[in-house]
Amino acid sequence: MSIEEQYVDSLYRKDDELERVKEGIAAHGMPDISVADGYGRLLTMLVGMSGATDILEIGALGGYSGICLARGLGERGTLLSLELLPHYADVARTHLAEAGYGACVDYRIGDAKESLARLKEEGRTFDFFFIDADKEGYPLYLDNAIALARPGAVIVADNILLRGRTINTAKQGPAVQAVRSFNERIATDPRLESTILPGYDGLAIARVKG
Protein backbone atom coordinates (compact mmCIF):
# COMPACT_ATOMS: atom_id res chain seq x y z
CA MET A 1 0.00 0.00 0.00
CA SER A 2 1.34 3.41 -0.95
CA ILE A 3 1.96 6.21 1.54
CA GLU A 4 -0.94 8.11 0.00
CA GLU A 5 -3.29 5.16 0.46
CA GLN A 6 -2.13 4.70 4.05
CA TYR A 7 -2.80 8.39 4.72
CA VAL A 8 -6.31 8.24 3.28
CA ASP A 9 -7.17 5.08 5.21
CA SER A 10 -5.89 6.68 8.41
CA LEU A 11 -8.55 9.39 8.12
CA TYR A 12 -11.35 6.87 8.63
CA ARG A 13 -12.29 4.95 11.74
CA LYS A 14 -12.16 1.18 11.50
CA ASP A 15 -15.48 -0.29 10.49
CA ASP A 16 -16.19 -2.86 13.20
CA GLU A 17 -18.63 -4.83 11.07
CA LEU A 18 -16.25 -5.11 8.14
CA GLU A 19 -13.33 -5.89 10.44
CA ARG A 20 -15.32 -8.86 11.75
CA VAL A 21 -15.85 -9.99 8.17
CA LYS A 22 -12.09 -9.84 7.55
CA GLU A 23 -11.51 -11.90 10.68
CA GLY A 24 -14.12 -14.42 9.55
CA ILE A 25 -12.50 -14.71 6.13
CA ALA A 26 -9.12 -15.39 7.75
CA ALA A 27 -10.62 -17.87 10.22
CA HIS A 28 -12.03 -19.92 7.35
CA GLY A 29 -8.66 -20.06 5.59
CA MET A 30 -9.80 -17.87 2.71
CA PRO A 31 -7.44 -15.50 0.89
CA ASP A 32 -7.13 -11.88 2.02
CA ILE A 33 -8.23 -10.40 -1.31
CA SER A 34 -11.39 -8.47 -0.49
CA VAL A 35 -11.86 -5.07 -2.09
CA ALA A 36 -9.76 -2.32 -0.46
CA ASP A 37 -11.45 -0.42 2.35
CA GLY A 38 -11.46 2.82 0.35
CA TYR A 39 -13.06 1.16 -2.64
CA GLY A 40 -15.56 -0.57 -0.36
CA ARG A 41 -16.73 2.85 0.78
CA LEU A 42 -16.87 3.93 -2.85
CA LEU A 43 -19.07 0.94 -3.76
CA THR A 44 -21.57 1.94 -1.09
CA MET A 45 -21.59 5.51 -2.39
CA LEU A 46 -21.93 4.49 -6.04
CA VAL A 47 -24.87 2.19 -5.34
CA GLY A 48 -26.62 4.88 -3.34
CA MET A 49 -25.85 7.71 -5.77
CA SER A 50 -26.97 5.69 -8.79
CA GLY A 51 -30.23 4.65 -7.14
CA ALA A 52 -29.55 1.02 -8.02
CA THR A 53 -32.17 -1.50 -6.97
CA ASP A 54 -30.81 -4.77 -8.41
CA ILE A 55 -27.13 -5.61 -8.12
CA LEU A 56 -25.23 -8.49 -9.69
CA GLU A 57 -21.95 -9.35 -8.00
CA ILE A 58 -19.54 -11.72 -9.74
CA GLY A 59 -17.33 -13.19 -7.03
CA ALA A 60 -18.58 -13.25 -3.42
CA LEU A 61 -15.49 -14.39 -1.50
CA GLY A 62 -16.44 -13.86 2.17
CA GLY A 63 -19.04 -11.15 1.81
CA TYR A 64 -16.99 -7.99 2.42
CA SER A 65 -17.92 -6.40 -0.90
CA GLY A 66 -21.45 -7.77 -0.59
CA ILE A 67 -21.98 -5.80 2.60
CA CYS A 68 -20.54 -2.67 1.00
CA LEU A 69 -22.93 -3.06 -1.93
CA ALA A 70 -25.96 -3.87 0.23
CA ARG A 71 -25.37 -0.81 2.38
CA GLY A 72 -26.11 1.39 -0.61
CA LEU A 73 -29.39 -0.33 -1.51
CA GLY A 74 -32.83 0.91 -0.59
CA GLU A 75 -35.26 -1.21 1.39
CA ARG A 76 -36.52 -3.09 -1.67
CA GLY A 77 -33.13 -3.59 -3.31
CA THR A 78 -31.69 -6.99 -4.14
CA LEU A 79 -28.18 -8.39 -4.44
CA LEU A 80 -27.49 -11.53 -6.44
CA SER A 81 -23.99 -12.91 -5.99
CA LEU A 82 -22.34 -15.49 -8.23
CA GLU A 83 -19.73 -17.63 -6.50
CA LEU A 84 -17.83 -20.67 -7.76
CA LEU A 85 -17.13 -22.25 -4.37
CA PRO A 86 -19.98 -23.36 -2.06
CA HIS A 87 -17.83 -22.82 1.04
CA TYR A 88 -17.13 -19.21 0.10
CA ALA A 89 -20.82 -18.58 -0.58
CA ASP A 90 -21.75 -20.06 2.82
CA VAL A 91 -19.29 -17.76 4.59
CA ALA A 92 -20.53 -14.74 2.62
CA ARG A 93 -24.16 -15.64 3.34
CA THR A 94 -23.43 -15.85 7.07
CA HIS A 95 -21.63 -12.51 7.11
CA LEU A 96 -24.42 -10.78 5.14
CA ALA A 97 -27.04 -12.20 7.49
CA GLU A 98 -25.10 -11.10 10.57
CA ALA A 99 -24.89 -7.61 9.09
CA GLY A 100 -28.66 -7.51 8.63
CA TYR A 101 -28.75 -8.02 4.86
CA GLY A 102 -29.73 -11.68 4.70
CA ALA A 103 -33.18 -10.92 3.28
CA CYS A 104 -31.90 -8.97 0.27
CA VAL A 105 -29.11 -11.27 -0.93
CA ASP A 106 -29.18 -14.52 -2.87
CA TYR A 107 -26.38 -16.72 -4.20
CA ARG A 108 -25.90 -18.86 -7.28
CA ILE A 109 -23.16 -21.44 -6.92
CA GLY A 110 -20.99 -22.69 -9.77
CA ASP A 111 -19.22 -21.40 -12.85
CA ALA A 112 -20.19 -17.75 -13.29
CA LYS A 113 -20.22 -18.14 -17.07
CA GLU A 114 -22.99 -20.74 -16.80
CA SER A 115 -24.89 -18.67 -14.24
CA LEU A 116 -24.70 -15.61 -16.50
CA ALA A 117 -26.03 -17.61 -19.45
CA ARG A 118 -28.99 -18.72 -17.34
CA LEU A 119 -29.69 -15.17 -16.21
CA LYS A 120 -29.89 -14.08 -19.84
CA GLU A 121 -32.25 -16.96 -20.60
CA GLU A 122 -34.42 -15.86 -17.66
CA GLY A 123 -34.56 -12.31 -18.98
CA ARG A 124 -33.02 -10.85 -15.83
CA THR A 125 -31.63 -7.31 -15.87
CA PHE A 126 -29.62 -5.30 -13.36
CA ASP A 127 -28.66 -1.71 -12.76
CA PHE A 128 -25.34 -2.28 -10.94
CA PHE A 129 -22.56 -4.82 -11.47
CA PHE A 130 -19.48 -5.54 -9.39
CA ILE A 131 -16.85 -7.80 -10.94
CA ASP A 132 -14.19 -9.28 -8.66
CA ALA A 133 -13.61 -12.87 -9.71
CA ASP A 134 -11.18 -14.88 -11.87
CA LYS A 135 -9.29 -12.39 -14.00
CA GLU A 136 -9.25 -14.50 -17.15
CA GLY A 137 -13.02 -14.18 -17.22
CA TYR A 138 -13.11 -10.37 -17.10
CA PRO A 139 -13.73 -9.76 -20.83
CA LEU A 140 -16.61 -12.25 -20.85
CA TYR A 141 -18.01 -10.80 -17.64
CA LEU A 142 -18.00 -7.37 -19.25
CA ASP A 143 -19.87 -8.71 -22.29
CA ASN A 144 -22.48 -10.26 -20.04
CA ALA A 145 -22.81 -7.20 -17.82
CA ILE A 146 -23.57 -5.04 -20.86
CA ALA A 147 -26.06 -7.63 -22.13
CA LEU A 148 -27.83 -7.78 -18.75
CA ALA A 149 -27.69 -4.04 -18.09
CA ARG A 150 -30.56 -1.63 -17.89
CA PRO A 151 -29.92 1.77 -19.50
CA GLY A 152 -27.66 3.78 -17.22
CA ALA A 153 -26.41 0.74 -15.29
CA VAL A 154 -23.08 1.02 -13.51
CA ILE A 155 -20.31 -1.57 -13.98
CA VAL A 156 -17.41 -1.68 -11.51
CA ALA A 157 -14.42 -4.05 -11.62
CA ASP A 158 -11.65 -4.47 -9.07
CA ASN A 159 -7.96 -5.44 -9.40
CA ILE A 160 -7.51 -4.16 -12.94
CA LEU A 161 -3.81 -3.40 -12.32
CA LEU A 162 -2.94 -6.89 -10.99
CA ARG A 163 -0.31 -5.53 -8.59
CA GLY A 164 1.54 -3.89 -11.46
CA ARG A 165 1.51 -6.86 -13.81
CA THR A 166 -0.95 -5.17 -16.16
CA ILE A 167 1.54 -2.42 -17.02
CA ASN A 168 4.60 -4.70 -17.06
CA THR A 169 5.21 -5.64 -20.69
CA ALA A 170 7.28 -8.62 -19.59
CA LYS A 171 4.13 -10.19 -18.16
CA GLN A 172 2.10 -12.00 -20.82
CA GLY A 173 0.14 -14.60 -18.88
CA PRO A 174 -3.51 -15.30 -19.71
CA ALA A 175 -4.88 -13.37 -16.72
CA VAL A 176 -2.76 -10.33 -17.54
CA GLN A 177 -3.76 -10.37 -21.18
CA ALA A 178 -7.43 -10.77 -20.26
CA VAL A 179 -7.37 -7.81 -17.89
CA ARG A 180 -5.52 -5.67 -20.42
CA SER A 181 -8.24 -6.47 -22.95
CA PHE A 182 -10.91 -5.64 -20.38
CA ASN A 183 -9.28 -2.29 -19.56
CA GLU A 184 -8.93 -1.34 -23.21
CA ARG A 185 -12.55 -2.18 -23.89
CA ILE A 186 -13.79 -0.27 -20.83
CA ALA A 187 -11.90 2.74 -22.13
CA THR A 188 -13.03 2.54 -25.76
CA ASP A 189 -16.40 0.75 -26.01
CA PRO A 190 -18.85 3.29 -27.49
CA ARG A 191 -21.66 1.88 -25.37
CA LEU A 192 -19.90 2.97 -22.19
CA GLU A 193 -18.65 6.09 -20.48
CA SER A 194 -15.92 5.22 -18.03
CA THR A 195 -12.88 5.99 -15.96
CA ILE A 196 -10.15 3.95 -14.28
CA LEU A 197 -8.85 4.76 -10.81
CA PRO A 198 -5.20 3.76 -10.26
CA GLY A 199 -5.26 3.62 -6.44
CA TYR A 200 -4.92 0.43 -4.42
CA ASP A 201 -4.98 -2.27 -7.15
CA GLY A 202 -7.02 -0.28 -9.64
CA LEU A 203 -10.76 0.06 -10.11
CA ALA A 204 -12.68 0.45 -13.38
CA ILE A 205 -16.01 2.27 -13.31
CA ALA A 206 -18.31 2.46 -16.33
CA ARG A 207 -21.85 3.58 -17.05
CA VAL A 208 -23.91 1.94 -19.77
CA LYS A 209 -25.26 4.67 -22.00
CA GLY A 210 -29.03 4.86 -22.12
Side-chain angles (χ1 to χ4, degrees):
M1 184 181 295
S2 71
I3 294 174
E4 293 83 2
E5 291 160 358
Q6 292 177 37
Y7 166 72
V8 171
D9 284 350
S10 74
L11 298 174
Y12 293 86
R13 294 175 56 184
K14 289 292 185 182
D15 187 309
D16 291 340
E17 191 167 68
L18 293 177
E19 289 300 307
R20 285 193 293 272
V21 172
K22 290 182 182 179
E23 291 168 3
I25 289 172
H28 284 88
M30 300 163 68
D32 181 18
I33 54 173
S34 298
V35 66
D37 294 351
Y39 284 161
R41 292 189 293 270
L42 179 59
L43 286 177
T44 301
M45 291 176 61
L46 289 172
V47 172
M49 292 166 65
S50 67
T53 57
D54 296 291
I55 301 173
L56 180 63
E57 177 184 42
I58 304 175
L61 191 62
Y64 184 104
S65 59
I67 290 175
C68 295
L69 293 164
R71 284 177 172 178
L73 282 171
E75 292 183 1
R76 296 185 178 182
T78 67
L79 168 63
L80 177 60
S81 186
L82 310 184
E83 174 54 54
L84 176 65
L85 302 176
H87 173 55
Y88 285 15
D90 288 343
V91 173
R93 191 190 307 274
T94 297
H95 286 151
L96 267 290
E98 291 174 349
Y101 300 112
C104 76
V105 64
D106 194 14
Y107 294 87
R108 293 202 182 189
I109 314 301
D111 189 325
K113 300 175 185 64
E114 296 176 3
S115 296
L116 289 164
R118 286 195 295 272
L119 289 172
K120 286 193 284 189
E121 291 172 358
E122 295 165 12
R124 294 288 299 274
T125 59
F126 302 86
D127 47 21
F128 199 101
F129 301 83
F130 180 54
I131 303 170
D132 191 6
D134 64 290
K135 307 314 172 193
E136 291 183 39
Y138 268 39
L140 181 61
Y141 298 152
L142 179 58
D143 287 337
N144 280 272
I146 294 172
L148 293 166
R150 298 168 189 162
V154 176
I155 301 171
V156 182
D158 195 23
N159 304 123
I160 51 84
L161 295 181
L162 295 177
R163 305 298 177 194
R165 285 183 290 150
T166 303
I167 60 174
N168 184 346
T169 57
K171 302 295 184 180
Q172 296 294 332
V176 173
Q177 293 190 51
V179 172
R180 285 179 184 145
S181 174
F182 174 91
N183 293 342
E184 290 164 4
R185 290 184 51 204
I186 278 281
T188 61
D189 193 308
R191 296 169 293 179
L192 305 173
E193 52 186 7
S194 69
T195 192
I196 292 177
L197 306 181
Y200 301 102
D201 195 28
L203 194 76
I205 305 172
R207 178 181 177 274
V208 180
K209 295 177 182 178

